Amino acid sequence: MSDSNTTDFINPPTFILLGIPGLVVAHIWISIPFCTMCTLAILGNFIILYIVKREPSLHGTMYYFLCMLAVTDLVLSMSILPKTLSIFWFNSRETDFNACLTQMHFIHSFLVMESGILVAMALDCYVAICRPLRYSTILTNIVVAKISLAVVLCSSTIVLPCILLARQWSYCRTNIIPHTHCKHMPIEKLACADICINNYYGLFVVFSVICVDVLFMSMSYTQILRAVFSLPTKDARLKTFATCSSHLCVILAFYISALFFSLMHWFGHNVSLHFHMLISNIYLLVPPMVNPIIYRVRNKQIRSRVLRIFAHKGT
C-alpha cells in the first residue's frame, strides 16, 4: 500500500471506493441488474411527476406528498448511480473527500426525509378517512407547505452533525472504502479519532427517527382501522381502506428493506463482505423502484392516467 494511504492526515484529498470486494471481476455483470433497477426507479418516478403535473384533478394534498416521495426517490437513485456505474464500468474508484461527504449527507438525509414523507402521507390518510368533512379545512395548502418544509429541514439538519464530525476526524489507517458509495459506517471505520460521540448521535438519529415515525404512523392507522371497521357494509370497508392501501404497501416496502439491512448489519457477522455490500445497494434501490410501481398498480387514478397516456400514444 502506498504511503499516501497509510500516513496520518486530516481531510484526505480523496477516498478510494473499491466497489464490491470479492466480486470485482463480476462488476460488469452486477452492473446489469443495478442499472436496470436504477432505470426503473428513475423512469417510474418521472412518470408519477409527469402525470400529477399534467392532470389538474390530481392537484391535491395526497398527490403533492406523492410528488415529494417521487423527488426523494429520484435523488436517492441519482446520488449513488453515477459513481457506482463509473466503478463498475470504468474502474474509476477515486472520489474527492468533500464529494464523498456530500454524497453521504444526501443518502442519509433523504432516507430520513422519505420516512418523514411517509408520516405526512399517513396523516393525509387519517384526515381523509377519519375527518372527511374537515379535510379541506385541516390540510390547506399552507399547512401542506409547512409540513413539507418541516420534513425537508428536519431531515437535512438532523444528519448534518454526523457530516461535520466526520469532516474533523483524522484518517490515519487508510483512505480505501470497501463500498460502492460513501456511507457513514464504512467511513467511520477509517477514522483514528474518538468516534464515540458520532456513534451515539448516529444511534440517536436512527432510533428517534424510526421510533417517532413508526409511532405516528401506527397511531394514524389504528384510528383508520377503527373508522373502517365501524362502517356498516363490507363493500364500504373495502372501498374506504383501498384509498390508503398504496401508502401501506409503500410503508412495508421501505421499512421491511430497512429492517432486513439492519439485521444484516447487527447479526450478519459471519456473512461475507460482498453480500453486505449487495444488500446495502438493494436497500437503497428497492423502495425508489417499487414505490411508483405500487402506485401505478394500486392507485386507480394514477393507473387510469397511465393507461390513458399509453393508449393515446398507441393510437
Side-chain angles (χ1 to χ4, degrees), residues 87-123:
I87 295 171
F88 287 163
W89 291 349
F90 310 111
N91 202 29
S92 175
R93 302 178 178 184
E94 192 173 78
T95 183
D96 182 74
F97 176 79
N98 292 320
C100 189
L101 294 187
T102 301
Q103 184 186 50
M104 183 170 72
H105 182 261
F106 268 88
I107 290 173
H108 291 289
S109 62
F110 274 85
L111 283 173
V112 175
M113 192 182 302
E114 179 146 351
S115 183
I117 294 170
L118 293 178
V119 174
M121 297 174 79
L123 174 64

Side-chain angles (χ1 to χ4, degrees), residues 5-71:
N5 291 335
T6 58
T7 305
D8 187 9
F9 51 89
I10 299 176
N11 291 6
T14 59
F15 281 122
I16 306 299
L17 293 166
L18 291 184
I20 302 180
L23 295 177
V24 176
V25 295
H27 273 178
I28 293 295
W29 297 106
I30 295 172
S31 70
I32 297 175
F34 178 89
C35 192
T36 301
M37 294 174 71
C38 284
T39 302
L40 289 174
I42 293 170
L43 289 178
N45 286 289
F46 267 122
I47 289 173
I48 294 292
L49 292 173
Y50 173 76
I51 289 174
V52 174
K53 182 180 182 301
R54 178 170 174 172
E55 294 291 335
S57 62
L58 300 182
H59 293 177
T61 302
M62 180 179 73
Y63 296 100
Y64 292 153
F65 288 140
L66 178 58
C67 287
M68 285 187 63
L69 184 67
V71 171

Side-chain angles (χ1 to χ4, degrees), residues 307-315:
L307 293 175
R308 186 187 304 170
I309 290 173
F310 282 102
H312 176 72
K313 290 183 177 180
T315 304

Side-chain angles (χ1 to χ4, degrees), residues 44 47-48 51 63 66 242-247 249-250 289-307 310:
I47 289 173
I48 294 292
I51 289 174
Y63 296 100
L66 178 58
T243 60
C244 58
S245 61
S246 302
H247 176 247
C249 292
V250 169
M289 180 184 69
V290 302
N291 288 349
I293 295 174
I294 290 171
Y295 273 96
R296 289 203 302 271
V297 172
R298 301 289 302 174
N299 187 283
K300 183 179 179 180
Q301 288 83 0
I302 296 290
R303 184 174 68 249
S304 63
R305 267 66 176 187
V306 171
L307 293 175
F310 282 102

Side-chain angles (χ1 to χ4, degrees), residues 24-223:
V24 176
V25 295
H27 273 178
I28 293 295
W29 297 106
I30 295 172
S31 70
I32 297 175
F34 178 89
C35 192
T36 301
M37 294 174 71
C38 284
T39 302
L40 289 174
I42 293 170
L43 289 178
N45 286 289
F46 267 122
I47 289 173
I48 294 292
L49 292 173
Y50 173 76
I51 289 174
V52 174
K53 182 180 182 301
R54 178 170 174 172
E55 294 291 335
S57 62
L58 300 182
H59 293 177
T61 302
M62 180 179 73
Y63 296 100
Y64 292 153
F65 288 140
L66 178 58
C67 287
M68 285 187 63
L69 184 67
V71 171
T72 302
D73 287 337
L74 281 172
V75 174
L76 272 176
S77 301
M78 294 302 297
S79 63
I80 65 172
L81 177 63
K83 189 59 189 176
T84 303
L85 289 183
S86 68
I87 295 171
F88 287 163
W89 291 349
F90 310 111
N91 202 29
S92 175
R93 302 178 178 184
E94 192 173 78
T95 183
D96 182 74
F97 176 79
N98 292 320
C100 189
L101 294 187
T102 301
Q103 184 186 50
M104 183 170 72
H105 182 261
F106 268 88
I107 290 173
H108 291 289
S109 62
F110 274 85
L111 283 173
V112 175
M113 192 182 302
E114 179 146 351
S115 183
I117 294 170
L118 293 178
V119 174
M121 297 174 79
L123 174 64
D124 175 75
C125 290
Y126 163 75
V127 177
I129 293 176
C130 300
R131 301 288 187 272
L133 298 179
R134 298 183 58 196
Y135 183 87
S136 59
T137 59
I138 294 175
L139 291 177
T140 62
N141 289 337
I142 295 176
V143 172
V144 172
K146 289 180 178 179
I147 293 174
S148 304
L149 183 61
V151 169
V152 173
L153 291 179
C154 288
S155 58
S156 299
T157 54
I158 198 171
V159 175
L160 190 59
C162 290
I163 310 301
L164 297 177
L165 288 170
R167 188 177 180 82
Q168 303 303 317
W169 291 338
S170 59
Y171 298 87
C172 61
R173 292 188 178 93
T174 180
N175 63 342
I176 296 176
I177 302 175
H179 215 298
T180 57
H181 51 268
C182 297
K183 292 187 71 176
H184 181 258
M185 287 182 288
I187 290 178
E188 72 175 8
K189 293 179 181 178
L190 308 182
C192 298
D194 184 7
I195 60 173
C196 289
I197 296 177
N198 199 281
N199 283 333
Y200 291 143
Y201 184 76
L203 289 174
F204 164 75
V205 170
V206 171
F207 285 107
S208 63
V209 169
I210 291 177
C211 291
V212 171
D213 290 355
V214 170
L215 176 63
F216 274 110
M217 284 187 283
S218 299
M219 292 171 58
S220 297
Y221 272 95
T222 299
Q223 297 300 317

